[in-house]
Amino acid sequence: MDYVYGPGRNHLFVPGPVNIPEPVIRAMNRNNEDYRSPAVPALTKTLLEDVKKIFKTTTGTPFIIPTTGTGAWESALTNTLSPGDRIVSFLIGQFSLLWIDQQQRLGFNVDVVESDWGQGANLDVLASKLAEDRYHSIKAICIVHNETATGVTNNLATVRKLLDDHNHPALFLVDGVSSICALDFRMDEWGVDVALTGSQKALSMPTGMGFVCASPKALEAAKSARSVRVFFDWNDYLKFYKLGTYWPYTPSIQLLYGLRTALDLIFEEGLDNVIARHARLGKATRLAVEAWGLKNCTQKEEWFSDTVTAVLVPQYIDSAEVVKRGWKRYNLSLGLGLNKVAGKVFRIGHLGNLNELQLLGCLAGVEMVLRDVGYPVKLGSGVAAAAAFLSNTTPLIPSRI
């Protein structure tokens, strides 16, 4: 039973977990089965090959782990690094902060590069650190591709260029939890050594699967890394890959079948089309925010995220009231402001299996909520701005041409 019943559907527009497509729900509606029977390894083999496609890698080795993004973080770190290793990590919002906390608690020497919340990673500081590091004491660069607390997307190609320009061998570790399968991500082209994501974001599945993809360089580093790992040890998975059974621990059978359908939906639409769709929805949301007379928490256009928009509210409004009123009155779920931006922003998630009309419904709801909490929004203004853009840019549905 729902916590409190509301007629119709809940309009879920947080930046994860996201809406689950009906075909995925139906695919997961099945009983348990023996995961060591021939059926599950055969399914897993195809899944591993197809997961590589969403990372855009031909050389990476994927791992599907029954965990969340936090577990995927730990897997990436402990398999490639040793306690005391120096890593450069960028603090730009709540989720990069949490990853840094994990890095510190795991015993790494974390060189934190902090930016104001709403700004991207300070890559000028990274360039200076790489130039000064003549003896290559920096073992890894850790960066969140898309910071969902502030709606900031970082430029990964620039990070790779800096590493190459300084001929620096540091590993390049990327949190792609709210970017992979929604934003442009190119593991091989950008020389990413470890990338990770979670099932509840752009893949549009329930929470419970962490996806980690490791480059050959990362697998080589894992041979000498001295961090303690057990459940997240890649070696356990690699042993079972060779055996052809694939699973050292019990997988979630239902999520595997859901993943098969989720990937099929993405490939049917076309991954590049999925990315383009997110770009349209992100732009439409930003146009709506501008029409409302409000500002984006993200401070420069180059950092705008196409999966989440963090909206700044006037000082006389508590953004938590926006979120609370949306849920209580309109069955609309928006994202709270977190930590330093608590009470200052609310977040509109626009990622996953989502279309233009769904977004317009959300924007209409936000306008009503803003009116409710005392902001003098002109009803229809944001919807009109978004609709005008979408009506000129939305293509025919690929499968119906």
PDB file of all heavy atoms in Angstrom, residues 82-114:
ATOM      1  N   SER A  82      45.844   1.431  -3.186  1.00  0.00           N
ATOM      2  CA  SER A  82      46.337   0.912  -1.915  1.00  0.00           C
ATOM      3  C   SER A  82      46.211   1.981  -0.841  1.00  0.00           C
ATOM      4  O   SER A  82      46.264   3.181  -1.142  1.00  0.00           O
ATOM      5  CB  SER A  82      47.809   0.494  -2.047  1.00  0.00           C
ATOM      6  OG  SER A  82      47.963  -0.511  -3.029  1.00  0.00           O
ATOM      7  N   PRO A  83      46.041   1.587   0.421  1.00  0.00           N
ATOM      8  CA  PRO A  83      45.961   2.571   1.501  1.00  0.00           C
ATOM      9  C   PRO A  83      47.154   3.519   1.469  1.00  0.00           C
ATOM     10  O   PRO A  83      48.302   3.095   1.253  1.00  0.00           O
ATOM     11  CB  PRO A  83      45.970   1.709   2.761  1.00  0.00           C
ATOM     12  CG  PRO A  83      45.396   0.401   2.316  1.00  0.00           C
ATOM     13  CD  PRO A  83      45.892   0.208   0.919  1.00  0.00           C
ATOM     14  N   GLY A  84      46.893   4.803   1.636  1.00  0.00           N
ATOM     15  CA  GLY A  84      47.946   5.806   1.603  1.00  0.00           C
ATOM     16  C   GLY A  84      48.193   6.404   0.240  1.00  0.00           C
ATOM     17  O   GLY A  84      48.890   7.418   0.117  1.00  0.00           O
ATOM     18  N   ASP A  85      47.635   5.804  -0.813  1.00  0.00           N
ATOM     19  CA  ASP A  85      47.809   6.355  -2.151  1.00  0.00           C
ATOM     20  C   ASP A  85      47.221   7.761  -2.220  1.00  0.00           C
ATOM     21  O   ASP A  85      46.146   8.035  -1.677  1.00  0.00           O
ATOM     22  CB  ASP A  85      47.118   5.475  -3.197  1.00  0.00           C
ATOM     23  CG  ASP A  85      47.966   4.297  -3.627  1.00  0.00           C
ATOM     24  OD1 ASP A  85      49.134   4.220  -3.206  1.00  0.00           O
ATOM     25  OD2 ASP A  85      47.452   3.438  -4.384  1.00  0.00           O
ATOM     26  N   ARG A  86      47.931   8.648  -2.920  1.00  0.00           N
ATOM     27  CA  ARG A  86      47.438  10.010  -3.112  1.00  0.00           C
ATOM     28  C   ARG A  86      46.487  10.038  -4.302  1.00  0.00           C
ATOM     29  O   ARG A  86      46.827   9.570  -5.384  1.00  0.00           O
ATOM     30  CB  ARG A  86      48.610  10.961  -3.361  1.00  0.00           C
ATOM     31  CG  ARG A  86      48.185  12.416  -3.560  1.00  0.00           C
ATOM     32  CD  ARG A  86      49.348  13.293  -3.983  1.00  0.00           C
ATOM     33  NE  ARG A  86      48.907  14.662  -4.271  1.00  0.00           N
ATOM     34  CZ  ARG A  86      49.655  15.563  -4.916  1.00  0.00           C
ATOM     35  NH1 ARG A  86      50.881  15.229  -5.340  1.00  0.00           N
ATOM     36  NH2 ARG A  86      49.180  16.777  -5.144  1.00  0.00           N
ATOM     37  N   ILE A  87      45.296  10.595  -4.065  1.00  0.00           N
ATOM     38  CA  ILE A  87      44.338  10.767  -5.147  1.00  0.00           C
ATOM     39  C   ILE A  87      43.837  12.212  -5.132  1.00  0.00           C
ATOM     40  O   ILE A  87      43.737  12.834  -4.083  1.00  0.00           O
ATOM     41  CB  ILE A  87      43.154   9.783  -5.053  1.00  0.00           C
ATOM     42  CG1 ILE A  87      42.398   9.934  -3.737  1.00  0.00           C
ATOM     43  CG2 ILE A  87      43.625   8.356  -5.213  1.00  0.00           C
ATOM     44  CD1 ILE A  87      41.221   8.993  -3.610  1.00  0.00           C
ATOM     45  N   VAL A  88      43.557  12.742  -6.301  1.00  0.00           N
ATOM     46  CA  VAL A  88      42.955  14.070  -6.432  1.00  0.00           C
ATOM     47  C   VAL A  88      41.466  13.878  -6.677  1.00  0.00           C
ATOM     48  O   VAL A  88      41.072  13.147  -7.597  1.00  0.00           O
ATOM     49  CB  VAL A  88      43.592  14.869  -7.586  1.00  0.00           C
ATOM     50  CG1 VAL A  88      42.860  16.197  -7.771  1.00  0.00           C
ATOM     51  CG2 VAL A  88      45.067  15.117  -7.307  1.00  0.00           C
ATOM     52  N   SER A  89      40.642  14.516  -5.844  1.00  0.00           N
ATOM     53  CA  SER A  89      39.202  14.348  -5.941  1.00  0.00           C
ATOM     54  C   SER A  89      38.532  15.710  -5.841  1.00  0.00           C
ATOM     55  O   SER A  89      38.962  16.570  -5.061  1.00  0.00           O
ATOM     56  CB  SER A  89      38.712  13.426  -4.819  1.00  0.00           C
ATOM     57  OG  SER A  89      37.448  12.888  -5.102  1.00  0.00           O
ATOM     58  N   PHE A  90      37.475  15.911  -6.613  1.00  0.00           N
ATOM     59  CA  PHE A  90      36.838  17.227  -6.737  1.00  0.00           C
ATOM     60  C   PHE A  90      35.550  17.287  -5.922  1.00  0.00           C
ATOM     61  O   PHE A  90      34.649  16.459  -6.103  1.00  0.00           O
ATOM     62  CB  PHE A  90      36.538  17.525  -8.201  1.00  0.00           C
ATOM     63  CG  PHE A  90      37.773  17.581  -9.056  1.00  0.00           C
ATOM     64  CD1 PHE A  90      38.238  16.441  -9.704  1.00  0.00           C
ATOM     65  CD2 PHE A  90      38.486  18.759  -9.185  1.00  0.00           C
ATOM     66  CE1 PHE A  90      39.385  16.487 -10.469  1.00  0.00           C
ATOM     67  CE2 PHE A  90      39.641  18.813  -9.958  1.00  0.00           C
ATOM     68  CZ  PHE A  90      40.091  17.674 -10.597  1.00  0.00           C
ATOM     69  N   LEU A  91      35.478  18.289  -5.054  1.00  0.00           N
ATOM     70  CA  LEU A  91      34.293  18.481  -4.219  1.00  0.00           C
ATOM     71  C   LEU A  91      33.459  19.609  -4.815  1.00  0.00           C
ATOM     72  O   LEU A  91      33.840  20.780  -4.747  1.00  0.00           O
ATOM     73  CB  LEU A  91      34.703  18.830  -2.777  1.00  0.00           C
ATOM     74  CG  LEU A  91      33.682  18.585  -1.668  1.00  0.00           C
ATOM     75  CD1 LEU A  91      34.318  18.813  -0.310  1.00  0.00           C
ATOM     76  CD2 LEU A  91      32.432  19.437  -1.801  1.00  0.00           C
ATOM     77  N   ILE A  92      32.306  19.242  -5.408  1.00  0.00           N
ATOM     78  CA  ILE A  92      31.462  20.250  -6.056  1.00  0.00           C
ATOM     79  C   ILE A  92      29.999  20.135  -5.630  1.00  0.00           C
ATOM     80  O   ILE A  92      29.149  20.880  -6.112  1.00  0.00           O
ATOM     81  CB  ILE A  92      31.557  20.142  -7.589  1.00  0.00           C
ATOM     82  CG1 ILE A  92      31.099  18.753  -8.066  1.00  0.00           C
ATOM     83  CG2 ILE A  92      32.964  20.438  -8.081  1.00  0.00           C
ATOM     84  CD1 ILE A  92      30.962  18.632  -9.569  1.00  0.00           C
ATOM     85  N   GLY A  93      29.697  19.206  -4.728  1.00  0.00           N
ATOM     86  CA  GLY A  93      28.319  19.012  -4.309  1.00  0.00           C
ATOM     87  C   GLY A  93      28.211  17.820  -3.374  1.00  0.00           C
ATOM     88  O   GLY A  93      29.220  17.214  -2.988  1.00  0.00           O
ATOM     89  N   GLN A  94      26.989  17.462  -3.017  1.00  0.00           N
ATOM     90  CA  GLN A  94      26.764  16.454  -1.986  1.00  0.00           C
ATOM     91  C   GLN A  94      27.310  15.083  -2.352  1.00  0.00           C
ATOM     92  O   GLN A  94      27.858  14.376  -1.507  1.00  0.00           O
ATOM     93  CB  GLN A  94      25.259  16.351  -1.689  1.00  0.00           C
ATOM     94  CG  GLN A  94      24.875  15.311  -0.655  1.00  0.00           C
ATOM     95  CD  GLN A  94      25.403  15.617   0.735  1.00  0.00           C
ATOM     96  OE1 GLN A  94      25.894  16.716   0.999  1.00  0.00           O
ATOM     97  NE2 GLN A  94      25.302  14.650   1.633  1.00  0.00           N
ATOM     98  N   PHE A  95      27.190  14.677  -3.607  1.00  0.00           N
ATOM     99  CA  PHE A  95      27.581  13.311  -3.951  1.00  0.00           C
ATOM    100  C   PHE A  95      29.089  13.182  -4.143  1.00  0.00           C
ATOM    101  O   PHE A  95      29.679  12.154  -3.796  1.00  0.00           O
ATOM    102  CB  PHE A  95      26.768  12.831  -5.156  1.00  0.00           C
ATOM    103  CG  PHE A  95      25.316  12.749  -4.810  1.00  0.00           C
ATOM    104  CD1 PHE A  95      24.459  13.798  -5.109  1.00  0.00           C
ATOM    105  CD2 PHE A  95      24.816  11.672  -4.111  1.00  0.00           C
ATOM    106  CE1 PHE A  95      23.125  13.766  -4.734  1.00  0.00           C
ATOM    107  CE2 PHE A  95      23.480  11.619  -3.730  1.00  0.00           C
ATOM    108  CZ  PHE A  95      22.632  12.676  -4.037  1.00  0.00           C
ATOM    109  N   SER A  96      29.717  14.223  -4.637  1.00  0.00           N
ATOM    110  CA  SER A  96      31.182  14.220  -4.652  1.00  0.00           C
ATOM    111  C   SER A  96      31.711  14.271  -3.217  1.00  0.00           C
ATOM    112  O   SER A  96      32.732  13.646  -2.898  1.00  0.00           O
ATOM    113  CB  SER A  96      31.719  15.386  -5.482  1.00  0.00           C
ATOM    114  OG  SER A  96      31.162  16.614  -5.067  1.00  0.00           O
ATOM    115  N   LEU A  97      31.015  14.988  -2.340  1.00  0.00           N
ATOM    116  CA  LEU A  97      31.400  15.034  -0.919  1.00  0.00           C
ATOM    117  C   LEU A  97      31.331  13.642  -0.299  1.00  0.00           C
ATOM    118  O   LEU A  97      32.250  13.224   0.432  1.00  0.00           O
ATOM    119  CB  LEU A  97      30.468  15.988  -0.175  1.00  0.00           C
ATOM    120  CG  LEU A  97      30.613  16.042   1.347  1.00  0.00           C
ATOM    121  CD1 LEU A  97      31.960  16.630   1.734  1.00  0.00           C
ATOM    122  CD2 LEU A  97      29.483  16.863   1.972  1.00  0.00           C
ATOM    123  N   LEU A  98      30.263  12.910  -0.588  1.00  0.00           N
ATOM    124  CA  LEU A  98      30.121  11.567  -0.023  1.00  0.00           C
ATOM    125  C   LEU A  98      31.180  10.616  -0.566  1.00  0.00           C
ATOM    126  O   LEU A  98      31.679   9.745   0.157  1.00  0.00           O
ATOM    127  CB  LEU A  98      28.718  11.033  -0.334  1.00  0.00           C
ATOM    128  CG  LEU A  98      27.565  11.731   0.387  1.00  0.00           C
ATOM    129  CD1 LEU A  98      26.226  11.213  -0.135  1.00  0.00           C
ATOM    130  CD2 LEU A  98      27.659  11.557   1.883  1.00  0.00           C
ATOM    131  N   TRP A  99      31.529  10.756  -1.847  1.00  0.00           N
ATOM    132  CA  TRP A  99      32.575   9.893  -2.392  1.00  0.00           C
ATOM    133  C   TRP A  99      33.916  10.219  -1.740  1.00  0.00           C
ATOM    134  O   TRP A  99      34.699   9.319  -1.417  1.00  0.00           O
ATOM    135  CB  TRP A  99      32.639  10.039  -3.909  1.00  0.00           C
ATOM    136  CG  TRP A  99      33.371   8.903  -4.599  1.00  0.00           C
ATOM    137  CD1 TRP A  99      33.674   7.688  -4.062  1.00  0.00           C
ATOM    138  CD2 TRP A  99      33.869   8.885  -5.934  1.00  0.00           C
ATOM    139  NE1 TRP A  99      34.334   6.907  -4.989  1.00  0.00           N
ATOM    140  CE2 TRP A  99      34.466   7.613  -6.137  1.00  0.00           C
ATOM    141  CE3 TRP A  99      33.869   9.805  -6.978  1.00  0.00           C
ATOM    142  CZ2 TRP A  99      35.051   7.259  -7.348  1.00  0.00           C
ATOM    143  CZ3 TRP A  99      34.448   9.439  -8.185  1.00  0.00           C
ATOM    144  CH2 TRP A  99      35.033   8.187  -8.368  1.00  0.00           C
ATOM    145  N   ILE A 100      34.184  11.491  -1.532  1.00  0.00           N
ATOM    146  CA  ILE A 100      35.428  11.885  -0.855  1.00  0.00           C
ATOM    147  C   ILE A 100      35.464  11.325   0.564  1.00  0.00           C
ATOM    148  O   ILE A 100      36.505  10.833   1.031  1.00  0.00           O
ATOM    149  CB  ILE A 100      35.568  13.422  -0.868  1.00  0.00           C
ATOM    150  CG1 ILE A 100      35.919  13.896  -2.278  1.00  0.00           C
ATOM    151  CG2 ILE A 100      36.621  13.888   0.134  1.00  0.00           C
ATOM    152  CD1 ILE A 100      35.808  15.395  -2.471  1.00  0.00           C
ATOM    153  N   ASP A 101      34.329  11.384   1.251  1.00  0.00           N
ATOM    154  CA  ASP A 101      34.266  10.808   2.602  1.00  0.00           C
ATOM    155  C   ASP A 101      34.609   9.327   2.561  1.00  0.00           C
ATOM    156  O   ASP A 101      35.356   8.823   3.414  1.00  0.00           O
ATOM    157  CB  ASP A 101      32.863  11.020   3.171  1.00  0.00           C
ATOM    158  CG  ASP A 101      32.678  10.351   4.520  1.00  0.00           C
ATOM    159  OD1 ASP A 101      33.352  10.755   5.487  1.00  0.00           O
ATOM    160  OD2 ASP A 101      31.855   9.405   4.613  1.00  0.00           O
ATOM    161  N   GLN A 102      34.090   8.616   1.581  1.00  0.00           N
ATOM    162  CA  GLN A 102      34.411   7.198   1.450  1.00  0.00           C
ATOM    163  C   GLN A 102      35.900   7.009   1.180  1.00  0.00           C
ATOM    164  O   GLN A 102      36.549   6.125   1.770  1.00  0.00           O
ATOM    165  CB  GLN A 102      33.586   6.572   0.329  1.00  0.00           C
ATOM    166  CG  GLN A 102      33.784   5.064   0.196  1.00  0.00           C
ATOM    167  CD  GLN A 102      33.112   4.496  -1.038  1.00  0.00           C
ATOM    168  OE1 GLN A 102      33.612   4.658  -2.152  1.00  0.00           O
ATOM    169  NE2 GLN A 102      31.984   3.835  -0.871  1.00  0.00           N
ATOM    170  N   GLN A 103      36.451   7.815   0.295  1.00  0.00           N
ATOM    171  CA  GLN A 103      37.877   7.715  -0.022  1.00  0.00           C
ATOM    172  C   GLN A 103      38.737   7.902   1.230  1.00  0.00           C
ATOM    173  O   GLN A 103      39.714   7.171   1.451  1.00  0.00           O
ATOM    174  CB  GLN A 103      38.236   8.764  -1.077  1.00  0.00           C
ATOM    175  CG  GLN A 103      37.603   8.512  -2.430  1.00  0.00           C
ATOM    176  CD  GLN A 103      37.524   9.757  -3.297  1.00  0.00           C
ATOM    177  OE1 GLN A 103      38.157  10.769  -2.993  1.00  0.00           O
ATOM    178  NE2 GLN A 103      36.731   9.714  -4.356  1.00  0.00           N
ATOM    179  N   GLN A 104      38.374   8.865   2.035  1.00  0.00           N
ATOM    180  CA  GLN A 104      39.134   9.128   3.259  1.00  0.00           C
ATOM    181  C   GLN A 104      38.984   7.992   4.259  1.00  0.00           C
ATOM    182  O   GLN A 104      39.957   7.577   4.893  1.00  0.00           O
ATOM    183  CB  GLN A 104      38.684  10.459   3.856  1.00  0.00           C
ATOM    184  CG  GLN A 104      39.052  11.657   2.996  1.00  0.00           C
ATOM    185  CD  GLN A 104      38.394  12.945   3.444  1.00  0.00           C
ATOM    186  OE1 GLN A 104      37.315  12.936   4.048  1.00  0.00           O
ATOM    187  NE2 GLN A 104      39.007  14.082   3.135  1.00  0.00           N
ATOM    188  N   ARG A 105      37.785   7.481   4.404  1.00  0.00           N
ATOM    189  CA  ARG A 105      37.545   6.395   5.356  1.00  0.00           C
ATOM    190  C   ARG A 105      38.208   5.097   4.933  1.00  0.00           C
ATOM    191  O   ARG A 105      38.502   4.227   5.776  1.00  0.00           O
ATOM    192  CB  ARG A 105      36.043   6.206   5.551  1.00  0.00           C
ATOM    193  CG  ARG A 105      35.415   7.370   6.296  1.00  0.00           C
ATOM    194  CD  ARG A 105      33.908   7.434   6.146  1.00  0.00           C
ATOM    195  NE  ARG A 105      33.239   6.337   6.804  1.00  0.00           N
ATOM    196  CZ  ARG A 105      31.916   6.156   6.788  1.00  0.00           C
ATOM    197  NH1 ARG A 105      31.155   7.020   6.124  1.00  0.00           N
ATOM    198  NH2 ARG A 105      31.364   5.140   7.414  1.00  0.00           N
ATOM    199  N   LEU A 106      38.464   4.951   3.636  1.00  0.00           N
ATOM    200  CA  LEU A 106      39.178   3.772   3.144  1.00  0.00           C
ATOM    201  C   LEU A 106      40.690   3.910   3.280  1.00  0.00           C
ATOM    202  O   LEU A 106      41.430   2.988   2.929  1.00  0.00           O
ATOM    203  CB  LEU A 106      38.800   3.508   1.681  1.00  0.00           C
ATOM    204  CG  LEU A 106      37.392   2.944   1.449  1.00  0.00           C
ATOM    205  CD1 LEU A 106      37.036   2.967  -0.032  1.00  0.00           C
ATOM    206  CD2 LEU A 106      37.277   1.522   1.994  1.00  0.00           C
ATOM    207  N   GLY A 107      41.143   5.058   3.759  1.00  0.00           N
ATOM    208  CA  GLY A 107      42.561   5.209   4.071  1.00  0.00           C
ATOM    209  C   GLY A 107      43.416   5.789   2.971  1.00  0.00           C
ATOM    210  O   GLY A 107      44.658   5.703   3.032  1.00  0.00           O
ATOM    211  N   PHE A 108      42.807   6.422   1.980  1.00  0.00           N
ATOM    212  CA  PHE A 108      43.599   7.054   0.922  1.00  0.00           C
ATOM    213  C   PHE A 108      43.964   8.481   1.327  1.00  0.00           C
ATOM    214  O   PHE A 108      43.300   9.115   2.145  1.00  0.00           O
ATOM    215  CB  PHE A 108      42.823   7.055  -0.397  1.00  0.00           C
ATOM    216  CG  PHE A 108      42.375   5.693  -0.822  1.00  0.00           C
ATOM    217  CD1 PHE A 108      41.028   5.394  -0.971  1.00  0.00           C
ATOM    218  CD2 PHE A 108      43.296   4.678  -1.058  1.00  0.00           C
ATOM    219  CE1 PHE A 108      40.611   4.133  -1.351  1.00  0.00           C
ATOM    220  CE2 PHE A 108      42.892   3.415  -1.434  1.00  0.00           C
ATOM    221  CZ  PHE A 108      41.542   3.130  -1.578  1.00  0.00           C
ATOM    222  N   ASN A 109      45.036   8.974   0.742  1.00  0.00           N
ATOM    223  CA  ASN A 109      45.483  10.351   0.962  1.00  0.00           C
ATOM    224  C   ASN A 109      44.790  11.227  -0.073  1.00  0.00           C
ATOM    225  O   ASN A 109      45.230  11.328  -1.215  1.00  0.00           O
ATOM    226  CB  ASN A 109      47.014  10.421   0.818  1.00  0.00           C
ATOM    227  CG  ASN A 109      47.538  11.834   0.914  1.00  0.00           C
ATOM    228  OD1 ASN A 109      46.850  12.749   1.374  1.00  0.00           O
ATOM    229  ND2 ASN A 109      48.770  12.038   0.460  1.00  0.00           N
ATOM    230  N   VAL A 110      43.684  11.843   0.339  1.00  0.00           N
ATOM    231  CA  VAL A 110      42.815  12.534  -0.616  1.00  0.00           C
ATOM    232  C   VAL A 110      43.188  14.012  -0.699  1.00  0.00           C
ATOM    233  O   VAL A 110      43.123  14.745   0.292  1.00  0.00           O
ATOM    234  CB  VAL A 110      41.335  12.388  -0.227  1.00  0.00           C
ATOM    235  CG1 VAL A 110      40.448  12.958  -1.331  1.00  0.00           C
ATOM    236  CG2 VAL A 110      40.989  10.925   0.027  1.00  0.00           C
ATOM    237  N   ASP A 111      43.570  14.420  -1.872  1.00  0.00           N
ATOM    238  CA  ASP A 111      43.880  15.820  -2.174  1.00  0.00           C
ATOM    239  C   ASP A 111      42.601  16.438  -2.743  1.00  0.00           C
ATOM    240  O   ASP A 111      42.266  16.245  -3.906  1.00  0.00           O
ATOM    241  CB  ASP A 111      45.022  15.862  -3.203  1.00  0.00           C
ATOM    242  CG  ASP A 111      45.598  17.257  -3.389  1.00  0.00           C
ATOM    243  OD1 ASP A 111      44.939  18.222  -2.971  1.00  0.00           O
ATOM    244  OD2 ASP A 111      46.693  17.370  -3.971  1.00  0.00           O
ATOM    245  N   VAL A 112      41.860  17.152  -1.885  1.00  0.00           N
ATOM    246  CA  VAL A 112      40.542  17.654  -2.257  1.00  0.00           C
ATOM    247  C   VAL A 112      40.657  19.002  -2.960  1.00  0.00           C
ATOM    248  O   VAL A 112      41.292  19.926  -2.450  1.00  0.00           O
ATOM    249  CB  VAL A 112      39.637  17.784  -1.013  1.00  0.00           C
ATOM    250  CG1 VAL A 112      38.264  18.336  -1.410  1.00  0.00           C
ATOM    251  CG2 VAL A 112      39.495  16.437  -0.310  1.00  0.00           C
ATOM    252  N   VAL A 113      40.026  19.094  -4.128  1.00  0.00           N
ATOM    253  CA  VAL A 113      39.937  20.351  -4.866  1.00  0.00           C
ATOM    254  C   VAL A 113      38.479  20.808  -4.777  1.00  0.00           C
ATOM    255  O   VAL A 113      37.596  20.209  -5.387  1.00  0.00           O
ATOM    256  CB  VAL A 113      40.370  20.190  -6.330  1.00  0.00           C
ATOM    257  CG1 VAL A 113      40.246  21.526  -7.069  1.00  0.00           C
ATOM    258  CG2 VAL A 113      41.799  19.661  -6.410  1.00  0.00           C
ATOM    259  N   GLU A 114      38.234  21.870  -4.022  1.00  0.00           N
ATOM    260  CA  GLU A 114      36.855  22.287  -3.751  1.00  0.00           C
ATOM    261  C   GLU A 114      36.463  23.494  -4.596  1.00  0.00           C
ATOM    262  O   GLU A 114      37.245  24.417  -4.792  1.00  0.00           O
ATOM    263  CB  GLU A 114      36.689  22.616  -2.268  1.00  0.00           C
ATOM    264  CG  GLU A 114      35.259  22.917  -1.869  1.00  0.00           C
ATOM    265  CD  GLU A 114      35.040  22.948  -0.367  1.00  0.00           C
ATOM    266  OE1 GLU A 114      36.031  22.757   0.385  1.00  0.00           O
ATOM    267  OE2 GLU A 114      33.892  23.153   0.068  1.00  0.00           O
TER     268      GLU A 114
END
